[in-house]
Amino acid sequence: MNKPASVPEQFDAVVVGAGFSGLFMLYQLRQLGLSVRVFDSAGDVGGTWYWNRYPGARCDIPTTDYAYSFDPELEKEWTWSEKYATQPEILDYLRFVTDRYGLRSDIEFSTVVTSARWDEQERRWRIKTGRGMEIECRYYIMATGCLSVPKSPDIEGISRFAGQVYFTSRWPHEGADFTGQRVAVIGTGSSGIQCIPLIARQASQLTVFQRTANFSIPAHNGPASAERLKQLDEDRDGYRHAARWSRGGIPTELTDIMGVTASEAVRRERFEAAWTQGELFGIINVFADQLVNPASNDIVAGMIREKIGSIVKDPATAEALSPKDHYFGTKRPCLDTGYFETFNLPHVRLVDLRKQPIISITEEGIQTADESFGFDAIVYATGFDAMTGPLVAVDVAGRDGVSLKEKWATGPSTYLGLMTAGFPNFFMLTGPGSPSVLSNMAVSIEQHVEWVAGCLKDMREDGFETIEPTELAESGWNSHVQDCAAITLHPTANSWYMGANVPGKPRFFLPYIGGVDAYRKACDEVVERGYLGFSMTGPDGARCRDGVIRRMQPDVALVLNLMTAMGLPPMETLSAADARALLAAIEAARPPGPQVGEVSDGVIPGPAGDLPYRLYRPAGPPEGPRPLVVYFHGGGWVLGNLDSDDPLCRDLCARSGAVVMSVNYRHAPEARFPAAALDAFAAVRWADASAAELGGIPGQLAVAGWSAGGNIAAVACHLARDAGGPHVSGQVLICPVVDSDLTRLSYQENGDGYILTTPLMRWFWDHYADPADRGDHRATPLRGNLPGLPPACIVAADFDPLRDEGVAYARALEAAGVPVRLVRARGHTHTSVPMVGLVISGAPVRAEIAEALRDFFPNAVPQEHLS
Ligand code: NA7
């Protein structure tokens, strides 16, 4: 007789993981009245704190902040004994929370979830466990943590060793006694740095095998900070609110002091204060620019290296312990208690694996390129397959049987780090693309759990059964996550944040670095906008509000916010003179742009008098003439001068290797149309005739301009063609004005709020040209005759009212047979691309412009030869 097939147990939701996030998720789902089953492979609650029991294991976020805040009563009932609690105390806390809310009854311990498959027909997940259980549920939630799958140490011969073997991430419950033993520790991340001083107390010999020296500052552990306790005591709600809306999940006053411009005294004072405070968010907030500006980062890194040098007595050991191969903060910095001091003990030795790599583990110990070591015990503190590892460890298959592993083969893709397209009703807590490991996990976990619970509640109220992100929303979020990382130094490091610690793992910045506050705002806004970027289905139909939640480059948004905060008057309400004065005042505070070889000023004859120019010569080698670019500044024909676009000209010169000649032209309203255009053409003719004396290569001349400068650069090309010369090799038009139609879609979308507004553009046109003249191709080159114009590179920025006319010009040129390179400045505004030094995300656009310039010239200096 056939055994009847067992009937799978039915639940509303299955949660994998009974750590910080899984426990709170269970609590919240119960509040919604849902039936829930939680699975955990561990024998008890605790997640990471269940497994990581190595000596010295502690949190690196102050425990006052590393705790649940959802229930004020709970907070009253628990007091942390230390500033940074130990693993046993945190585990006790999580057990206490579990019992206080009676959560245990819904948790199945010592049970691994092996697979989860979406059944499209039933709109349910089918779950299997390692113990042969089959469960079906509507919602499948991975609360598996970010650092829960240990990375294989990838060292030859691990199984050969005859002595004791320990992994910090799977420490035995009965502990380990190293008394009198010769012990090796491999790995100097947070786990290694925490356990090394304690192992040294017992071991007769301790040898630390270091591949990468790591930045660490003293934790100065002790009682919980009196100041924080006082703040919590006086205004718990205010404190927790501030944490939720802070950058990292701990109330922190962010500095605006820049490392590069601060005085030596201020630098020292701020660093010493952070060193003494002993908090991660303090040491990464010494300077506002330390994670984006290498020079500023070097200041902090240098001071930490000085400290290491002053603690460690043996200079060679101090040198080896001093991190030099990554920027401070791009790998997780550590908090330690006596780590560097441990290397002053006579029985402790550091082996620098950069000098003598491990060849293999042997039966007796470790064989490096230079030495054979004998040990009684080896401790592996070699890290984790972070963030994605725990998610792909389960065989999760979404719609059409596509597995998460397959979908993420080239890197994780999520919407808000919460969900991924093709996997309906599958939620990740603190998944890739969320602040997670860059934040106070407790705060981020609560935010994620509350968002998921709120979403399930809303779905129920609206009669929906499934939810899933759209491809568009997801790819928009992925771009935003990478954009945020790209303006920092993070992508330069071989960190686990980048997936670089696991051989073969795609290099991809995993967490969201935009901040807990910015992230929460985005998640809230998604809900306010009717679950923007999600599609939902239910018995009564479907709903999809497609769209991208954050399209603007993060640093562009920051600059816009700063400018809004300045409360500047709208330019179009000012006189031309006052507008010019305001612009000059704003420019005075900006970074200067890169160094070039030589800068000199001069004048050239124009049609109505002399025109000033500034010449930028690239730093050599090679010596000798270079192609020449005649550049025209922006400012709506009214504003601007040689200073206004100086940083951009420097940047163009340095990146392209060409000589750049920036020409000032007559401005409106003093000199109206076509004065500026005629001056531009005169400048091009003069530059062509004088190329040799300007250091240019005769016959290799291009024009360039931004905004109204782009307008007259384009017009100069028309005039040169019509006059039969001079020959112009190419034209670079950065967000140019090429038409006077202020009704295009890009005006409708962006005409309000991004510095260049519709009223301002109207003000510029009114100052420059009578309506009757605006159809003249010398004012609106889009309306002119286009065949025979030089090859063009046109930059169109997403948030620019002029975007669509730039695109239209590119298309029209193409149609007229002119080679065109259209550069889409994704996430940029009209004014952000030229903001050299301020808007880092503009750098790739400027690099592309420079490449286009080099392509115009037969004798351009190849990029690899540029200094
Ligand atoms: P980490 O920070 O990833 O550190 C792992 C360490 O192990 C790191 O120093 C690695 O060097 C080293 N390692 C890894 N594989 C090897 C091999 N094969 N040979 C030699 N050395 C190796 O993990 P942790 O557990 O310390 O900390 C993880 C997080 O937990 C921490 O950031 C806190 O957030 C809590 P590498 O740097 O790769 O050269």
Side-chain angles (χ1 to χ4, degrees):
M1 210 172 95
N2 280 344
K3 212 172 144 201
S6 63
V7 181
E9 269 196 278
Q10 303 290 323
F11 291 96
D12 292 321
V14 160
V15 177
V16 188
F20 251 105
S21 58
L23 292 174
F24 186 42
M25 192 73 247
L26 169 59
Y27 172 83
Q28 284 282 339
L29 293 170
R30 276 190 184 173
Q31 299 290 105
L32 289 177
L34 300 182
S35 60
V36 190
R37 180 53 41 109
V38 178
F39 294 100
D40 199 306
S41 58
D44 198 1
V45 298
T48 202
W49 300 106
Y50 175 89
W51 296 106
N52 288 269
R53 294 162 182 257
Y54 59 85
R58 290 173 191 274
C59 56
D60 58 8
I61 296 289
T63 20
T64 39
D65 298 80
Y66 191 70
Y68 293 116
S69 69
F70 67 92
D71 184 351
E73 293 307 310
L74 171 67
E75 288 198 56
K76 280 189 205 148
E77 293 165 27
W78 186 269
T79 310
W80 295 102
S81 68
E82 288 181 272
K83 177 180 170 189
Y84 297 110
T86 57
Q87 173 269 334
E89 188 173 1
I90 301 172
L91 191 56
D92 278 351
Y93 170 73
L94 290 171
R95 286 189 184 128
F96 165 74
V97 173
T98 306
D99 294 335
R100 190 186 186 284
Y101 297 101
L103 300 176
R104 227 171 258 283
S105 56
D106 286 331
I107 309 174
E108 200 86 46
F109 293 109
S110 306
T111 309
V112 181
V113 169
T114 50
S115 74
R117 312 205 147 254
W118 174 247
D119 182 332
E120 180 74 7
Q121 199 99 46
E122 298 293 322
R123 296 177 173 184
R124 288 178 85 73
W125 282 94
R126 294 175 183 279
I127 313 288
K128 284 189 183 163
T129 74
R131 299 168 84 176
M133 297 156 82
E134 295 196 9
I135 305 103
E136 286 179 8
C137 59
R138 175 81 68 214
Y139 308 111
Y140 175 54
I141 302 165
M142 296 279 270
T144 37
C146 296
L147 298 161
S148 49
V149 170
K151 168 193 109 103
S152 144
D154 309 308
I155 301 174
E156 157 76 18
I158 284 190
S159 56
R160 264 185 238 147
F161 182 56
Q164 295 288 328
V165 174
Y166 299 92
F167 287 83
T168 49
S169 54
R170 292 289 179 269
W171 205 258
H173 285 214
E174 63 279 12
D177 183 2
F178 297 109
T179 308
Q181 293 191 358
R182 299 161 305 155
V183 182
V185 175
I186 303 178
T188 50
S190 194
S191 304
I193 282 177
Q194 286 187 336
C195 71
I196 284 164
L198 290 173
I199 295 177
R201 284 191 200 165
Q202 292 185 332
S204 62
Q205 261 180 47
L206 172 63
T207 311
V208 175
F209 291 84
Q210 171 192 277
R211 189 163 67 184
T212 306
N214 218 333
F215 288 101
S216 185
I217 67 163
H220 298 302
N221 201 17
S225 149
E227 195 193 325
R228 279 188 206 283
L229 288 176
K230 185 165 169 275
Q231 285 173 6
L232 271 167
D233 213 34
E234 286 172 1
D235 181 11
R236 191 205 79 94
D237 290 350
Y239 186 89
R240 296 300 185 205
H241 179 83
R244 288 183 194 119
W245 288 99
S246 66
R247 181 71 58 81
I250 298 184
T252 308
E253 204 174 309
L254 296 178
T255 183
D256 56 6
I257 294 174
M258 301 288 174
V260 278
T261 48
S263 69
E264 182 53 28
V266 168
R267 288 173 181 171
R268 184 60 64 182
E269 188 191 319
R270 289 195 57 77
F271 173 76
E272 290 295 341
W275 182 268
T276 308
Q277 185 197 27
E279 290 189 17
L280 287 182
F281 285 109
I283 197 74
I284 62 170
N285 185 36
V286 175
F287 305 124
D289 57 344
Q290 71 188 58
L291 210 54
V292 294
N293 187 334
S296 175
N297 194 285
D298 283 346
I299 297 166
V300 183
M303 288 183 181
I304 297 178
R305 287 192 285 263
E306 255 176 56
K307 290 282 188 192
I308 297 170
S310 71
I311 298 169
V312 181
K313 296 204 176 102
D314 173 45
T317 306
E319 181 64 14
L321 284 166
S322 296
K324 286 176 223 77
D325 74 342
H326 61 281
Y327 290 110
F328 172 67
T330 56
K331 285 185 138 188
R332 176 91 172 190
C334 304
L335 292 181
D336 70 88
T337 301
Y339 173 65
F340 293 114
E341 290 81 348
T342 302
F343 293 91
N344 292 332
L345 298 172
H347 66 293
V348 177
R349 177 179 167 193
L350 181 74
V351 173
D352 183 351
L353 298 179
R354 303 273 178 204
K355 292 203 172 123
Q356 49 167 323
I358 294 178
I359 304 297
S360 74
I361 306 293
T362 61
E363 206 177 323
E364 294 78 31
I366 294 175
Q367 176 71 50
T368 68
D370 295 351
E371 282 174 74
S372 262
F373 295 83
F375 295 113
D376 302 307
I378 299 180
V379 175
Y380 292 94
T382 41
F384 299 89
D385 182 354
M387 300 200 73
T388 51
L391 294 166
V392 298
V394 176
D395 179 18
V396 184
R399 192 177 293 114
D400 303 325
V402 175
S403 75
L404 195 60
K405 209 172 189 167
E406 283 161 2
K407 178 173 173 183
W408 289 4
T410 54
S413 170
T414 73
Y415 186 33
L416 302 168
L418 277 162
M419 298 195 81
T420 186
F423 295 77
N425 291 1
F426 166 59
F427 295 91
M428 295 162 271
L429 301 181
T430 64
S434 76
S436 54
V437 290
L438 296 176
S439 66
N440 173 5
M441 279 298 237
V443 166
S444 286
I445 283 169
E446 284 194 332
Q447 187 265 341
H448 257 195
V449 169
E450 282 165 1
W451 193 95
V452 172
C455 167
L456 299 189
K457 184 164 173 278
D458 291 343
M459 282 170 68
R460 186 166 64 188
E461 280 166 13
D462 294 345
F464 293 116
E465 287 177 339
T466 72
I467 180 166
E468 181 187 348
T470 68
E471 300 280 355
L472 175 72
E474 185 168 308
S475 79
W477 184 254
N478 290 334
S479 297
H480 179 58
V481 171
Q482 298 309 312
D483 287 346
C484 289
I487 60 175
T488 72
L489 299 169
H490 269 290
T492 62
N494 288 322
S495 64
W496 56 257
Y497 296 140
M498 291 292 300
N501 65 327
V502 176
K505 189 167 172 172
R507 209 182 156 90
F508 201 91
F509 191 70
L510 297 167
Y512 175 65
I513 201 171
V516 165
D517 47 355
Y519 177 76
R520 182 182 291 270
K521 204 163 165 218
C523 291
D524 289 357
E525 206 179 308
V526 162
V527 176
E528 280 153 23
R529 293 169 71 180
Y531 285 90
L532 179 76
F534 284 106
S535 65
M536 297 191 190
T537 65
D540 300 328
R543 184 180 83 192
C544 178
R545 304 242 156 88
D546 207 357
V548 172
I549 186 69
R550 290 286 176 264
R551 291 171 49 227
M552 189 171 279
Q553 292 287 346
D555 48 358
V556 174
L558 203 70
V559 170
L560 280 177
N561 288 344
L562 286 174
M563 294 197 71
T564 308
M566 285 162 81
L568 303 172
M571 286 259 184
E572 66 274 15
T573 62
L574 305 177
S575 67
D578 286 348
R580 286 170 190 155
L582 179 63
L583 193 68
I586 296 170
E587 283 165 12
R590 71 186 169 176
Q595 288 283 340
V596 294
E598 194 185 326
V599 179
S600 56
D601 285 355
V603 288
I604 61 171
D610 284 348
L611 302 174
Y613 75 87
R614 183 167 295 164
L615 198 70
Y616 302 84
R617 229 197 117 65
E623 293 303 323
R626 304 280 185 103
L628 179 63
V629 179
V630 184
Y631 176 86
F632 303 104
H633 64 77
W637 308 281
V638 178
L639 315 173
N641 49 39
L642 295 181
D643 293 333
S644 60
D645 291 25
D646 183 79
L648 178 62
C649 289
R650 290 170 175 274
D651 193 81
L652 283 178
C653 170
R655 285 181 191 275
S656 70
V659 174
V660 174
M661 177 188 179
S662 172
V663 180
N664 206 2
Y665 46 90
R666 283 173 291 161
H667 291 139
E670 294 85 352
R672 288 166 62 84
F673 171 83
L678 298 182
D679 285 359
F681 180 48
V684 171
R685 292 174 77 162
W686 186 87
D688 178 64
S690 319
E693 62 197 78
L694 293 168
I697 303 172
Q700 292 192 36
L701 173 148
V703 295
W706 166 60
S707 192
N711 171 273
I712 59 174
V715 173
C717 293
H718 284 241
L719 299 179
R721 176 202 56 193
D722 295 346
H727 168 74
V728 178
S729 304
Q731 49 181 329
V732 166
L733 312 178
I734 305 167
C735 306
V737 188
V738 286
D739 198 13
S740 57
D741 174 1
L742 310 195
T743 64
R744 284 194 163 82
L745 182 65
S746 51
Y747 266 97
Q748 294 166 36
E749 288 177 354
N750 310 312
D752 180 22
Y754 304 128
I755 301 177
L756 179 66
T757 59
T758 307
L760 181 57
M761 200 58 222
R762 191 170 293 124
W763 186 82
F764 285 142
W765 271 115
D766 290 346
H767 277 75
Y768 182 52
D770 291 337
D773 289 330
R774 294 181 198 172
D776 187 316
H777 74 287
R778 293 171 304 166
T780 48
L782 179 61
R783 304 188 192 188
N785 182 26
L786 305 182
L789 288 171
C793 166
I794 297 178
V795 179
D798 278 355
F799 292 91
D800 184 0
L802 305 181
R803 178 195 69 205
D804 290 352
E805 64 196 68
V807 173
Y809 197 51
R811 300 279 175 258
L813 285 171
E814 253 167 10
V818 176
V820 177
R821 177 173 187 153
L822 177 62
V823 178
R824 293 284 194 166
R826 190 174 53 76
H828 280 274
T829 62
H830 182 74
T831 53
S832 61
V833 173
M835 287 184 173
V836 176
L838 209 56
V839 173
I840 298 169
S841 62
V845 180
R846 296 190 295 270
E848 209 175 332
I849 295 171
E851 191 181 286
L853 275 173
R854 284 197 306 276
D855 285 350
F856 292 151
F857 303 122
N859 295 97
V861 179
Q863 191 188 11
E864 57 275 21
H865 295 166
L866 290 173
S867 49

